[in-house]
Amino acid sequence: MKILAIETSCDETAISIIEATGDFPDATYEVLGNALHSQIAIHVEYGGVFPALAKREHAKKLVPMLTQALSEAELLEEGDHNLTNEQTEKISTILYREPDLSETMLEFFNKYEQPEFDLIAVTSGPGLEPALWVGVNFAKTLAAIWNTPVVPVNHMEGHILASIFDIERDDQLAEISLPAISLLISGGHTELILMNEWGHYEKIGQTLDDAVGEAYDKVARMMDIPYPGGPEIGRLAGLARQQKLPTYADLPRPMLNSDDLNFSFSGLKTAVRYKVADQVLTGEEKQALARDFEDAVTEVLLKKAARALTEYGAKTFIVGGGVSANQHLRQSFNAKLLESHPDVTVYFPHRAMSTDNSVMIALAGHARAAGALAPAAGQLIKADGNRSLATE
Ligand code: KG4
Ligand code: ZN
């Protein structure tokens, strides 16, 4: 089954083409084309993702990403098509809020032959709603003109599958034992998810305020590190560990001992703010503070992870979302979680699959292929910024 996957939930415009052989979850996946445009440079001056700009940039980059992915997959073939009036009208109706995208899609359809896809998978949530809508409307247009079924994918299900997909070795999903627990940590989410069977999720814990990635980015900003600060905080913290710098800030571990699986990071963020105040930090102070912050975050995440594993007797622990790229977190989970729970297998995504991408959307699309909608019914798909895994 050939799948075209589209991701526009935040600040990456990504399109992948994947060939799935066999049934989910035992299929083999081949990535035929993979195009990704990061908008980070555009959002840097705002210190975070600016939704209206994200939407405009997605609209600008979707067709170039599509042609790039098609070309990589050797599916881009020029022809001399002429859309019927009815088709042209359909495109402008679906894309009436995106006139520029409508224009470039008309050109695209008139210039290239129709590639054959069995399924179009598109992220419909959670994420920034204006950004999601562009991707969803783009998918609807492709589905309508190519007469291809379309499936709306949950971005967080994509992150879970990304973490158990071995893109380098055998292009398959790991054979995990269920129940599994997943810790999803990204710019917008921090949650513990219980999966008793494939595709059924229960939220067993979540942040009561900031997401971990958000805390990383805000702390970075306090230290004058440009958006997204997460990776740079991780790098600075690594330098502090290498040099064994002394503690700079005695930071709290919010909700470490609370009798539940929830988290809170805003108090930790505020503690960093008080410590920084209006000082100009030296290089070493920055490194030490980054390390102290990272240690506090990691300790809380580890403790709740261990608690969840014990409470639910799970043998699989899956870490996913952008923050799972963090080096210290990876090392700590692989060492300490396995110390307290030696019979558990811990999964982290391949580095290229930890932040937002569309390969994971293709995997989730394949998992949900049975629920795909015919092109006409697909017109009813809605973007949902708050789409939750707990209702899947
Ligand atoms: O999953 P993702 O790409 O986008 C969302 O769905 O939010 O996650 C982005 C988040 C950002 O907050 C970014 O700072 C954080 O992941 N992040 C990291 C690292 N790489 C990305 N945080 C800590 N260490 C990293 N190496
Ligand atoms: Zn994400």
Side-chain angles (χ1 to χ4, degrees), residues 7 9-10 12 126 155-156 159 185-189 320-322 354-357 360:
E7 157 66 35
S9 69
C10 190
E12 324 279 358
H155 181 84
M156 304 316 283
H159 273 304
I185 39 180
S186 68
H189 287 79
S354 52
T355 48
D356 289 349
N357 63 86
M360 70 186 200

Side-chain angles (χ1 to χ4, degrees), residues 219-226 279-280 286:
V219 162
R221 209 170 161 183
M222 293 172 206
M223 292 198 246
D224 288 327
I225 295 166
Q279 300 180 65
V280 179
K286 269 193 187 177

Side-chain angles (χ1 to χ4, degrees), residues 54-65:
K55 174 192 149 108
R56 204 176 70 193
E57 191 66 7
H58 285 309
K60 212 189 280 176
K61 285 294 185 314
L62 274 167
V63 171
M65 289 301 106

Side-chain angles (χ1 to χ4, degrees), residues 26 71 78 104 119 177 197 228 257 275 281 289 322 343 352 386 390:
D26 306 313
S71 154
E78 286 200 24
T104 44
L119 183 69
S177 80
E197 52 180 303
N257 296 311
K275 186 73 192 172
L281 301 182
L289 181 57
D343 50 351
N386 296 315

Side-chain angles (χ1 to χ4, degrees), residues 12-311:
E12 324 279 358
T13 316
I15 299 208
S16 300
I17 297 167
I18 266 116
E19 177 79 56
T21 310
D23 292 330
F24 183 88
D26 306 313
T28 301
Y29 300 94
E30 192 185 349
V31 181
L32 304 176
N34 192 21
L36 184 145
H37 166 75
S38 166
Q39 302 179 359
I40 285 175
I42 293 168
H43 299 292
V44 158
E45 64 176 295
Y46 301 92
V49 182
F50 194 69
L53 262 188
K55 174 192 149 108
R56 204 176 70 193
E57 191 66 7
H58 285 309
K60 212 189 280 176
K61 285 294 185 314
L62 274 167
V63 171
M65 289 301 106
L66 175 63
T67 45
Q68 187 184 323
L70 285 169
S71 154
E72 267 180 39
E74 295 180 1
L75 293 171
L76 192 67
E77 217 180 297
E78 286 200 24
D80 62 308
H81 263 284
N82 270 317
L83 290 170
T84 62
N85 286 344
E86 197 192 337
Q87 286 177 316
T88 305
E89 211 161 288
K90 219 178 232 172
I91 295 171
S92 43
T93 307
I94 301 171
L95 294 172
Y96 78 101
R97 280 171 198 266
E98 280 92 31
D100 293 346
L101 179 59
S102 179
E103 194 69 23
T104 44
M105 287 197 82
L106 276 175
E107 283 167 23
F108 172 85
F109 287 122
N110 279 323
K111 184 165 178 192
Y112 298 108
E113 295 287 343
Q114 170 171 352
E116 291 303 323
F117 288 109
D118 301 290
L119 183 69
I120 295 171
V122 61
T123 303
S124 72
L128 301 171
E129 226 156 86
L132 289 164
W133 269 117
V134 187
V136 165
N137 287 334
F138 177 74
K140 285 181 184 181
T141 309
L142 294 175
I145 303 301
W146 292 344
N147 198 26
T148 306
V150 55
V151 65
V153 161
N154 186 310
H155 181 84
M156 304 316 283
E157 184 167 41
H159 273 304
I160 294 178
L161 296 177
S163 300
I164 53 171
F165 179 55
D166 193 338
I167 196 171
E168 263 181 3
R169 250 199 4 245
D170 53 9
D171 288 333
Q172 284 190 315
L173 296 175
E175 271 180 52
I176 59 169
S177 80
L178 297 174
I181 288 173
S182 181
L183 171 66
L184 295 175
I185 39 180
S186 68
H189 287 79
T190 298
E191 50 194 31
L192 277 162
I193 300 287
L194 172 69
M195 184 167 84
N196 279 315
E197 52 180 303
W198 284 105
H200 289 273
Y201 304 100
E202 187 187 333
K203 202 184 285 180
I204 53 174
Q206 63 185 320
T207 181
L208 304 182
D209 40 59
D210 291 356
V212 184
E214 190 182 352
Y216 261 93
D217 294 339
K218 286 180 177 166
V219 162
R221 209 170 161 183
M222 293 172 206
M223 292 198 246
D224 288 327
I225 295 166
Y227 174 84
E232 180 63 6
I233 293 276
R235 194 186 69 84
L236 293 174
L239 292 175
R241 283 189 198 96
Q242 252 173 30
Q243 302 168 81
K244 301 197 168 51
L245 294 180
T247 304
Y248 178 72
D250 205 2
L251 298 173
R253 269 71 175 147
M255 297 184 73
L256 184 69
N257 296 311
S258 69
D259 196 19
D260 55 28
L261 296 170
N262 292 331
F263 307 90
S264 163
F265 294 102
S266 83
L268 173 59
K269 175 192 71 188
T270 308
V272 174
R273 179 168 287 130
Y274 280 134
K275 186 73 192 172
V276 175
D278 291 326
Q279 300 180 65
V280 179
L281 301 182
T282 66
E284 286 202 345
E285 284 169 345
K286 269 193 187 177
Q287 292 168 14
L289 181 57
R291 189 251 350 253
D292 297 343
F293 166 76
E294 198 165 87
D295 283 351
V297 169
T298 307
E299 192 178 329
V300 176
L301 292 177
L302 257 175
K303 177 108 183 246
K304 296 284 168 149
R307 189 185 176 107
L309 282 172
T310 305
E311 212 165 288

Side-chain angles (χ1 to χ4, degrees), residues 310-321:
T310 305
E311 212 165 288
Y312 291 92
K315 296 280 173 278
T316 305
F317 195 79
I318 301 166
V319 188

